[in-house]
Amino acid sequence: MSVKLGEIVPNFSADSTQGQMDFHKWLEGSWAILFSHPADYTPVCTTELGRVQALSQEFTKRGIKLAALSCDSTESHHGWIKDILAYNNLKEFSYPIIADPDREIATLYGMLDPDERDAAGIPLTCRAVFVVGPDKRLKLSILYPATTGRNFDEIIRVVDSLQLTATRKVATPVDWKNGGSCMVVPSVKQEDVAGLFPKGVKVHNVPSGKVYLRTTPQPE
């Protein structure tokens, strides 16, 4: 099974480094990121979870809860956290790592990587990212192979776009960054533009003559 965009994400109960977790209760109407890694005590994962901790205040500013997951035990997670702290020169580790040794959650969310297996030949979790909205619906998912570490600055950029476009009638163009110009969505009628976008809208002329490329400063 895998989760589709716009669906309510499956609930689960599991042990974690911060105790037993009921995922839907833990969400509590917040934005959240659930991200998996292939295994504890592996090099790329050690850099990734350290980077997320280093960026934790950026996620907190955006109202984002964080939770990691792999197929290892909670005991393994606790031991590995010491290595994460040491390698990344960190003083604390503030978000939970979920234990999924039976792969129940990984199967439920479609996280298993058929090319990465443990010593027993059982598939491990890939580098999955799930951004969940306050309505418990999936807003974005990304799957990376084990050999490619994630760029969490890009994930923050995506979160900024998701949170902006959830409440404003804009879309964010290629390479957009927070504070940059946005595109007015096609569903906005031209006669409604002035009332919706007091900072002004620029219509870009194109050979087709169609009025669909409209930019505006990022709404407040």
Side-chain angles (χ1 to χ4, degrees):
M1 180 180 178
S2 60
V3 190
K4 297 177 181 178
L5 287 177
E7 289 184 344
I8 293 177
V9 297
N11 193 25
F12 59 82
S13 294
D15 194 22
S16 80
T17 52
Q18 294 184 4
Q20 193 70 18
M21 175 189 288
D22 179 291
F23 190 57
H24 279 189
K25 288 182 180 178
W26 176 80
L27 288 170
E28 290 182 341
S30 172
W31 286 83
I33 295 175
L34 172 65
F35 64 103
S36 62
H37 57 277
D40 296 353
Y41 298 105
T42 53
V44 176
C45 304
T46 302
T47 64
E48 288 187 316
L49 271 73
R51 180 59 176 160
V52 172
Q53 179 60 43
L55 290 170
S56 61
Q57 291 304 310
E58 291 299 318
F59 288 110
T60 298
K61 284 195 307 187
R62 293 161 172 81
I64 301 284
K65 289 186 172 183
L66 299 164
L69 177 147
S70 81
C71 299
D72 301 283
S73 67
T74 303
E75 181 181 6
S76 173
H77 293 336
H78 278 298
W80 180 44
I81 284 173
K82 298 174 184 176
D83 288 0
I84 296 171
L85 294 172
Y87 179 80
N88 294 283
N89 297 312
L90 299 167
K91 294 183 179 180
E92 65 172 347
F93 195 88
S94 59
Y95 59 91
I97 307 179
I98 298 165
D100 187 28
D102 296 327
R103 280 111 169 128
E104 292 180 0
I105 303 167
T107 301
L108 192 61
Y109 276 73
M111 297 179 187
L112 292 175
D113 185 341
D115 294 328
E116 294 295 321
R117 297 174 182 268
D118 64 13
I122 303 172
L124 296 167
T125 40
C126 65
R127 302 187 193 283
V129 179
F130 299 94
V131 180
V132 182
D135 56 1
K136 299 184 177 68
R137 295 185 182 276
L138 182 65
K139 304 303 181 183
L140 174 137
S141 64
I142 315 174
L143 302 179
Y144 293 74
T147 51
T148 302
R150 287 161 284 199
N151 184 331
F152 282 93
D153 291 308
E154 163 63 6
I155 291 171
I156 286 178
R157 187 192 77 88
V158 167
V159 166
D160 286 339
S161 173
L162 291 170
Q163 292 184 334
L164 173 67
T165 58
T167 58
R168 299 290 185 270
K169 294 183 180 299
V170 294
T172 55
V174 63
D175 296 332
W176 173 88
K177 292 182 180 179
N178 196 12
S181 293
C182 300
M183 315 297 290
V184 177
V185 295
S187 60
V188 174
K189 296 178 180 179
Q190 191 60 18
E191 57 266 29
D192 297 330
V193 161
L196 290 171
F197 304 102
K199 293 182 180 180
V201 171
K202 179 179 179 181
V203 177
H204 298 262
N205 295 320
V206 288
S208 67
K210 297 181 183 295
V211 179
Y212 69 98
L213 289 166
R214 301 174 292 177
T215 55
T216 185
Q218 180 173 320
E220 299 296 333

